[in-house]
Amino acid sequence: MLFEAQKLDGVFIIKPNLFKDDRGVFIEIFKHIEFKEKLNCNFVQDNQIYNRSKNILRGLHYQIENPQGKLIHVVSGAILDVIVDIRIGSPNFGKTLSVCLDSTNCKLLFVPPGYAHGYLVLEENTVVHYKCTDYYNPKSEYGIRWDDSDLNIPWKVSNPILSEKDKSLPFLNDQKMFPSI
């Protein structure tokens, strides 16, 4: 696996080894020892989401207690994955990173704790799988509006499909709870 550091601290795009032959492709997407060695993380929970249609937007979410690092992988379909550095004291506070992840490029994205995370579904029937470094804690979940003009995220959609919860998230400047470095 190739771990490529990104412009935001602790964020990596991971390119797994692909083994192709006439039958198809074998992809090794996770090996505990490599992630422990390269990122010093331990994953405790796996989640998988089936997205029926394109233009579904999930996020931007984060937790204060039990902050989660995430390893995102698209099993089928495609997403525009977006993260925002929201760590108090970070020189990159408010900066974003957008990455296209799909079942063809097979890239993975590692997002460490302290970042808000969300994604836009680009294809129907997209399946997203992610590993988490801590357990989901709904009482500690916070979020930021997807269309915050201060973040200026190029989502490439003007009217996404949102959950009721995501429709009511505050803007970055109105958010009261952020993680520290």
Side-chain angles (χ1 to χ4, degrees), residues 63 66 135-142 165:
Q63 290 182 183
N66 309 97
Y135 298 103
Y136 174 63
N137 180 352
K139 293 178 182 174
S140 182
E141 185 176 37
Y142 294 87
K165 176 180 78 172

Side-chain angles (χ1 to χ4, degrees), residues 1 9 13 34 47 58 60 72 76 85 132 138-139 151 170 174:
M1 285 186 209
D9 296 332
I13 290 177
E34 283 194 57
N47 302 319
R58 299 180 185 269
L60 300 156
I72 298 107
S76 66
D85 187 342
C132 300
K139 293 178 182 174
L151 298 176
D174 297 328

Side-chain angles (χ1 to χ4, degrees), residues 9-10 16 21 24 26 44 65-66 75-76 95 118 120 122 133 135 141 148-149 155 167 176:
D9 296 332
D21 64 21
F26 174 86
V44 298
E65 295 175 30
N66 309 97
V75 176
S76 66
K95 293 199 172 136
L120 174 68
L122 302 175
T133 60
Y135 298 103
E141 185 176 37
D148 189 321
S149 60
W155 290 107
K167 287 179 185 177
K176 305 287 188 251

